[in-house]
Amino acid sequence: EAGVAQSPRYKIIEKRQSVAFWCNPISGHATLYWYQQILGQGPKLLIQFQNNGVVDDSQLPKDRFSAERLKGVDSTLKIQPAKLEDSAVYLCASSLLGRAIDTQYFGPGTRLTVL
Amino acid sequence: QKEVEQDPGPLSVPEGAIVSLNCTYSNSAFQYFMWYRQYSRKGPELLMYTYSSGNKEDGRFTAQVDKSSKYISLFIRDSQPSDSATYLCATTGFQKLVFGTGTRLLVSP
């Protein structure tokens, strides 16, 4: 079974530029998550999709971050404009149904550096 | 106060040692408790999952939850160099996982 795929793996941009990350979840998984993991910290949930609807985006900085999951499969997370404090690893995860007992499977992450 | 507190380490032990990793949490609504392992430049992977107070064992790993003191532990017996990673505790009451900062473990041969 293929895991969660993410691209790119690494991205370096200047502040105020825009950037987009892509995620392809495990086939058949209804729930998709985007997390931000700052160096030395645990992952923090940014947004959770159930199929193509948003379940929780309470911690998403909506003035600069946006995410979509068209057709309930792939997802894209965008930052525009980027700030220095956005430097982090952006992790995508998926689970079968999004229940608390469902295992979340994580991708390898995209490491973003904002200069 | 953070919802989940975890000592960031690093924790350095010799091969074969028993390792104890710990977390505390503040919200008594949390019901599910997990330990994730994260190797360098990889995503976290689920290691152990428990629902109630008590112990759960899986090979060399034992997860322990004490809801009365809001304390979560992971024990690793006969630690191996391949166990060197960051261990993240996580908990949830409903759907959103809340992670600790992670403890970096180094097991030397």
Side-chain angles (χ1 to χ4, degrees), chain B residues 23-97:
Chain B
C23 287
T24 58
Y25 63 95
S26 58
N27 191 338
S28 56
F30 290 147
Q31 301 177 48
Y32 304 95
F33 307 93
M34 297 91 168
W35 284 95
Y36 280 80
R37 179 174 61 194
Q38 186 174 23
Y39 290 112
S40 181
R41 301 192 182 275
K42 302 284 187 182
E45 57 176 339
L46 183 65
L47 195 59
M48 298 281 287
Y49 160 76
T50 57
Y51 170 66
S52 59
S53 284
N55 294 352
K56 183 176 181 179
E57 192 173 315
D58 184 1
R60 297 185 295 110
F61 299 89
T62 299
Q64 191 175 79
V65 176
D66 182 346
K67 286 189 173 181
S68 63
S69 59
K70 299 188 180 69
Y71 201 79
I72 314 164
S73 299
L74 178 70
F75 299 97
I76 308 174
R77 291 185 299 279
D78 187 25
S79 57
Q80 303 295 309
S82 58
D83 295 328
S84 297
T86 296
Y87 290 81
L88 297 151
C89 63
T91 180
T92 180
F94 298 99
Q95 291 186 322
K96 182 170 74 177
L97 274 186

Side-chain angles (χ1 to χ4, degrees), chain A residues 9-10 33 35 37 40-43 45 48 55-56 58-59 91 98-101 103-104 106-108 111, chain B residues 2 8 32 34 36 38 40-46 49 88 92-102:
Chain A
R9 291 296 313 275
Y10 304 91
Y33 312 80
Y35 288 87
Q37 186 174 23
Q41 297 182 22
L45 180 69
Q48 177 183 344
V55 173
D56 184 348
S58 57
Q59 298 188 101
L91 294 162
R99 300 170 301 178
I101 60 172
T103 298
Q104 293 189 26
F106 285 82
R111 184 175 298 270
Chain B
K2 290 184 179 179
Y32 304 95
M34 297 91 168
Y36 280 80
Q38 186 174 23
S40 181
R41 301 192 182 275
K42 302 284 187 182
E45 57 176 339
L46 183 65
Y49 160 76
L88 297 151
T92 180
F94 298 99
Q95 291 186 322
K96 182 170 74 177
L97 274 186
V98 179
F99 285 87
T101 56

Side-chain angles (χ1 to χ4, degrees), chain A residues 6 21 23 31-38 42-48 56 59-60 65 77 79 86 88-95 102-107 109-110, chain B residues 34 36 38 44 88 90-92 95-99:
Chain A
Q6 290 187 247
F21 313 127
C23 173
T31 310
L32 185 147
Y33 312 80
W34 282 102
Y35 288 87
Q36 180 192 58
Q37 186 174 23
I38 293 172
K44 182 184 81 171
L45 180 69
L46 293 176
I47 189 166
Q48 177 183 344
D56 184 348
Q59 298 188 101
L60 186 74
F65 286 64
L77 176 70
I79 307 175
D86 298 332
V89 175
Y90 290 85
L91 294 162
C92 179
S94 70
S95 70
D102 290 334
T103 298
Q104 293 189 26
Y105 297 88
F106 285 82
T110 296
Chain B
M34 297 91 168
Y36 280 80
Q38 186 174 23
L88 297 151
T91 180
T92 180
Q95 291 186 322
K96 182 170 74 177
L97 274 186
V98 179
F99 285 87

Side-chain angles (χ1 to χ4, degrees), chain A residues 13-34:
Chain A
I13 61 172
E14 302 276 337
K15 61 182 179 184
R16 291 188 289 275
Q17 286 186 324
S18 62
V19 64
F21 313 127
W22 173 83
C23 173
N24 182 237
I26 292 173
S27 178
H29 280 194
T31 310
L32 185 147
Y33 312 80
W34 282 102

